[in-house]
Amino acid sequence: MQFHFYPIAVAIVSLLFSQAIAPPSSGIKSRTAIDDSVSKQAAISLQGALNNIGPDGSEVPGAGAGFVVASPSKVDPPYFYTWTRDSALTLKMIIDEFIFGNTSLQSYIEDYIHAQAVLQTVSNPSGTFLPAGLGMGEPKYQVDGTRFNGAWGRPQRDGPALRAIALITYSNWLIENGQPSKAKDIIWPIIANDLSYVGQYWNQTGFDLWEETQGSSFFTVQNQHRALAQGTQLAEDLRVTCTGCVQAPEVLCFLQSFWNGNFTVSNINVNNSRTGLDGNSILGSISTFDIDAYCDSPTLQPCHSTSLANFKVLIDTFRETYSINSGIPVGSGVAVGRYAEDVYQGGNPWYLITTAAAEFLYDAVAQWKARHNLFVDETSLAFFKDLYPAVQVRQYNSGNAHSPFVEIMNAVTAYADSFVAVAEKYIPANGSLAEQFNRDTGAPLSAIDLTWSYAAFVTMSQRRSGRFPRSWGSRNAITPPATCPTSSLSTKGIYVPATAAGAPNVTSSCQVNVVFNVNASTYFGENLYVIGSAEDIGAWDVENALPMGAGGYTSDRPLWSVSTYLDAGETVSYKYVRQENCNQAWLYETRNRTLTVPACGGDAIMQEDAWVGPGGAAGTC
Ligand code: NOJ
Ligand code: NOJ
C-alpha cells in the first residue's frame, strides 16, 4: 500500500512516534517499522487468544472443548468464565482468519459449534431454554459450560446475535465450499435458536456489553440487526425458515434513535447520569462493518457521517479524561476507554477499545476507497477538520496521489496509525495484553491475557493491511419505515435443541411466566435472591437460589425483580434471601410465602411483595 503523509499529520505522528516507540536517536518510525511491530503483535495476539480456549489452551486447564475463557485471571478480577459475547467475537476473528487462509484453525470452529449447541440448552438464572429461549440471555457460564449462579447484570441480549453472526459467516463459507448440507443440518439449528431469541426479545431492555446498565444498548441493537438481516439471507440460501428475521427492519428503525444530533447516545431507556458517550458505539460499528456498504446506509457504518461525528466527540472526551493523553493534540490518537465516567478497576483506557478506534478508521478509509468517493457534510465536517483543515462540505472523488481525496485518505490512515502507536506504546515487551492500562502511568492492569484484547488486535491488524471479511449483505437490508412502528415488535420464537451439533434433547414441562417483585432496601454490594421449593428457584438450596436484579431500583422504590418460568399448576413455597457483601451469613426472610402457578397455557403472574425480616449490614472486607 502506498503511503503519503499529509504534512500536519506528519508533524503530529512524528511527535507521537518519537515519544512512543522510536529508538532514541531516530526521527519518525517508518510505516514499514510499524508494519513489523503490528504483524509481530498480531501473531502473539492470535496465539494469546488460542491459549485461552479449551480443551488444550495452555493458560486455561479445565476449560471444556470449544469454550473460550475470558482471561486466566481467577481473582481480582475473576474472569475465569466463558462469556457468550467475548467468545463469539473471538470466534468471529478465528473464522475470518480461517477464511483468509489459516486452515489450522478449523478445529477451534468445530469445537465452538458443539460447545454452543450444548450451552444453548443449559438452564441458568436467566431462565431455561424451553419453552421460550430465556436462558440464552445469560451472559456467562463456568468454563466447563455449566451454569453460573451468582448475581450478575442479566440478561444481556447481544450474545445470541453475536454468536449467530459468527456461525452465519462460517455457514456461508461452507456453502461456498461445497458443504451446504453441513450448514443446513448441523449449524443452522443453532443459528435459528439465536435468531428466534433476537426476534422475540430485541425490543425488551437488557444489560449493555459492559454489564452495568439496564436499557437499550447501541452495540446490542446494531448487532441484532446484522444478525437478523444476514440470517434472512442465509435462510433463503438454505431454503429454511427464519423465525424472527422479519423483525430486521423494525430493529434498524430503532437503531436510528440513538443519535441525539451531536453524537450517538450508547445507552438509551436508562436512568443514569452519564452523557452516553461510550466506546460501545465504535465497537458496534466495527462489528457490523461491511466493505460493500454505502456510507449513508442506515446500518451506521464507520464511514457514516454520524459515526464520524460521534467518533470525534467521543475521542475528545478521553483526551481530557486520562493524564497519559495530556498534551496530545486533536487529530492524533489517544488511549481510549469505555466511557469517561467509568470507575471499574480505576476507570482506565482499554487495549481493545484503543485498537478498535484504529480499526474503525481503517474501515472507513476502506469504504471510501471502495466507493471512490467521500461526501463531507455539516455533520462530519468537524471530524475531518482536525485531520485536513482545508476540508469543505462537498463531494470528493478519487483522483491521483495529490488529489484532496487521496490526501484525506492518507490523513485518516495516519490518524488510525497513531491509535495503534498509542496501544503499542503501552504493550509490554512480551506482547501480553491485559484488559486495561493505567490512566496515569500506562502500566497494564485488570485481567491479564484478556482474550478479547487479543482478538481485537488481530482484527485491527487485518483491516490495517487491507484484509476485510466479505460483505454481509448490508445493501440488501430492508430499509426501515419512516416512522418506527409501535406494535408487532416481537415474534414468538421457536426453540429446538440443536441435537445434530450435539445438544442434549431437552424437553420442557409446561411452564408459565412468574415475575417476582419485592421491595427491599439494600446497601451497595448486597444482593437479593428468591429461594423456594421448586427446582427452578433452587429447591431450598441457597447455592442454587435465583438471583434478582436491581435495574428498577430507585430512591422512591427499592425494587428487586426477576422474571422466570415455573411448572404449570404447581404450588410453590418461597421466600427472599439477602447475600451480604463480605461472605457473612445469608439473611432469610422470617416468613414463608406461597404461590400457585396457573395451569398450562395460563397468563404470566406477578408477585408483589415487601421484604419481611432482618435488614443487612455491610461488612468490612
Ligand atoms: C463486572 C463487569 O464485568 C464489569 O464490566 C463491570 O464494570 C463491573 N462488574 C462492575 O459492575
Ligand atoms: C468486563 C467487560 O465489561 C465485559 O464486556 C466482558 O464481557 C467481561 N469483562 C469479560 O471479559
Side-chain angles (χ1 to χ4, degrees):
M1 187 196 291
Q2 271 219 324
F3 193 72
H4 300 279
F5 280 109
Y6 182 73
I8 289 185
V10 171
I12 294 166
V13 169
S14 72
L15 173 79
L16 185 83
F17 282 10
S18 56
Q19 295 172 345
I21 43 179
S25 58
S26 79
I28 304 176
K29 185 160 181 178
S30 69
R31 193 156 208 248
T32 335
I34 308 169
D35 288 346
D36 284 351
S37 59
V38 170
S39 60
K40 281 199 192 97
Q41 182 63 42
I44 293 172
S45 299
L46 176 59
Q47 190 56 49
L50 300 181
N51 289 346
N52 289 347
I53 303 178
D56 298 323
S58 59
E59 302 305 309
V60 291
F67 287 111
V68 179
V69 181
S71 153
S73 172
K74 290 194 173 163
V75 288
D76 198 22
Y79 275 29
F80 198 74
Y81 295 97
T82 184
W83 269 262
T84 302
R85 169 184 37 264
D86 299 46
S87 305
L89 290 167
T90 301
L91 261 292
K92 175 66 168 61
M93 175 277 281
I94 289 175
I95 290 164
D96 287 341
E97 292 297 297
F98 167 73
I99 295 172
F100 291 149
N102 188 344
T103 50
S104 70
L105 296 174
Q106 196 161 20
S107 64
Y108 291 93
I109 304 170
E110 298 295 330
D111 283 352
Y112 174 73
I113 291 166
H114 179 260
Q116 299 303 308
V118 176
L119 204 67
Q120 283 187 329
T121 65
V122 172
S123 299
N124 60 64
S126 292
T128 47
F129 175 63
L130 299 175
L134 281 177
M136 289 194 290
E138 180 70 358
K140 72 175 199 183
Y141 300 79
Q142 307 289 346
V143 302
D144 61 359
T146 56
R147 62 190 272 164
F148 163 72
N149 272 327
W152 208 253
R154 60 167 67 90
Q156 296 178 19
R157 305 193 196 277
D158 56 342
L162 293 165
R163 180 166 55 203
I165 290 169
L167 294 177
I168 292 169
T169 304
Y170 187 57
S171 299
N172 286 334
W173 181 88
L174 288 172
I175 293 172
E176 278 156 26
N177 287 275
Q179 299 175 68
S181 53
K182 179 167 176 191
K184 183 173 177 170
D185 300 339
I186 297 181
I187 305 177
W188 173 258
I190 309 172
I191 300 170
N193 289 329
D194 283 337
L195 298 178
S196 271
Y197 183 89
V198 174
Q200 182 159 2
Y201 299 110
W202 71 272
N203 191 41
Q204 294 191 21
T205 57
F207 278 80
D208 69 328
L209 78 170
W210 308 136
E211 319 192 281
E212 295 172 337
T213 304
Q214 184 165 22
S216 307
S217 158
F218 182 80
F219 174 86
T220 300
V221 175
Q222 207 173 17
N223 281 296
Q224 287 174 329
H225 172 262
R226 173 177 171 172
L228 296 179
Q230 204 175 0
T232 305
Q233 187 66 54
L234 178 61
E236 279 172 23
D237 294 345
L238 295 176
R239 296 197 184 79
V240 292
T241 307
C242 175
T243 303
C245 285
V246 293
Q247 293 292 332
E250 265 68 288
V251 180
L252 194 54
C253 201
F254 181 50
L255 184 67
Q256 312 310 308
S257 54
F258 290 81
W259 173 249
N260 73 357
N262 296 308
F263 59 83
T264 303
V265 181
S266 282
N267 294 296
I268 59 175
N269 300 323
V270 293
N271 182 9
N272 68 26
S273 51
R274 298 189 201 159
T275 62
L277 284 161
D278 191 315
N280 172 320
S281 53
I282 293 180
L283 294 169
S285 293
I286 64 174
S287 167
T288 58
F289 164 73
D290 181 346
I291 185 66
D292 281 358
Y294 297 117
C295 292
D296 62 358
S297 162
T299 59
L300 305 181
Q301 295 290 315
C303 68
H304 193 280
S305 290
T306 60
S307 305
L308 297 164
N310 173 67
F311 186 90
K312 173 174 166 51
V313 182
L314 172 64
I315 296 301
D316 285 351
T317 65
F318 292 112
R319 294 181 192 283
E320 290 144 31
T321 306
Y322 306 134
S323 67
I324 53 170
N325 290 338
S326 73
I328 301 178
V330 290
S332 190
V334 290
V336 189
R338 303 197 296 185
Y339 54 93
E341 304 91 336
D342 196 3
V343 295
Y344 175 55
Q345 297 274 330
N348 297 285
W350 285 40
Y351 291 104
L352 75 92
I353 311 176
T354 304
T355 55
E359 181 170 333
F360 173 96
L361 297 170
Y362 295 129
D363 286 349
V365 168
Q367 291 176 319
W368 292 313
K369 287 186 175 172
R371 304 290 85 73
H372 304 289
N373 60 35
L374 156 68
F375 293 83
V376 176
D377 60 17
E378 292 293 349
T379 304
S380 60
L381 187 64
F383 167 85
F384 290 103
K385 269 250 148 79
D386 288 346
L387 309 175
Y388 187 82
V391 71
Q392 289 167 9
V393 172
R394 55 166 264 216
Q395 175 175 354
Y396 291 88
N397 292 325
S398 64
N400 66 26
H402 302 292
S403 64
F405 177 86
V406 170
E407 289 182 337
I408 294 171
M409 294 305 110
N410 291 344
V412 179
T413 305
Y415 190 32
D417 283 347
S418 69
F419 283 94
V420 179
V422 170
E424 291 204 326
K425 175 175 177 179
Y426 299 113
I427 297 177
N430 67 2
S432 68
L433 294 180
E435 181 184 72
Q436 311 184 19
F437 47 105
N438 187 289
R439 60 198 284 156
D440 301 317
T441 66
L445 54 78
S446 189
I448 54 157
D449 293 312
L450 187 79
T451 314
W452 188 1
S453 296
Y454 288 128
F457 197 97
V458 174
T459 56
M460 177 281 291
S461 83
Q462 293 290 12
R463 304 303 169 268
R464 184 174 182 279
S465 52
R467 253 183 293 200
F468 307 103
R470 292 195 37 186
S471 168
W472 58 263
S474 67
R475 286 190 190 185
N476 305 330
I478 300 171
T479 313
T483 33
C484 299
T486 51
S487 61
S488 306
L489 297 176
S490 164
T491 304
K492 193 163 191 268
I494 298 175
Y495 303 96
V496 181
T499 49
N505 193 7
V506 291
T507 51
S508 82
S509 45
C510 183
Q511 292 195 315
V512 177
N513 186 201
V514 179
V515 179
F516 293 94
N517 286 331
V518 61
N519 290 338
S521 297
T522 45
Y523 60 85
F524 189 84
E526 188 179 32
N527 286 302
L528 246 76
Y529 293 69
V530 192
I531 187 172
S533 55
E535 197 75 42
D536 294 288
I537 53 175
W540 293 119
D541 174 359
V542 79
E543 292 307 318
N544 292 323
L546 182 66
M548 307 186 75
Y553 193 105
T554 64
S555 48
D556 293 338
R557 180 170 185 202
L559 174 65
W560 286 81
S561 184
V562 65
S563 169
T564 192
Y565 280 75
L566 300 179
D567 290 347
E570 68 177 342
T571 299
V572 177
S573 317
Y574 70 99
K575 60 172 62 174
Y576 300 98
V577 50
R578 292 171 188 253
Q579 181 187 43
E580 300 304 287
N581 65 334
C582 297
N583 272 325
Q584 306 95 304
W586 295 78
L587 298 174
Y588 290 77
E589 277 195 301
T590 45
R591 55 163 292 187
N592 272 4
R593 304 169 179 280
T594 315
L595 70 86
T596 302
V597 185
C600 193
D603 289 338
I605 57 166
M606 216 175 258
Q607 300 301 110
E608 298 288 353
D609 298 320
W611 173 269
V612 177
T620 49
C621 49

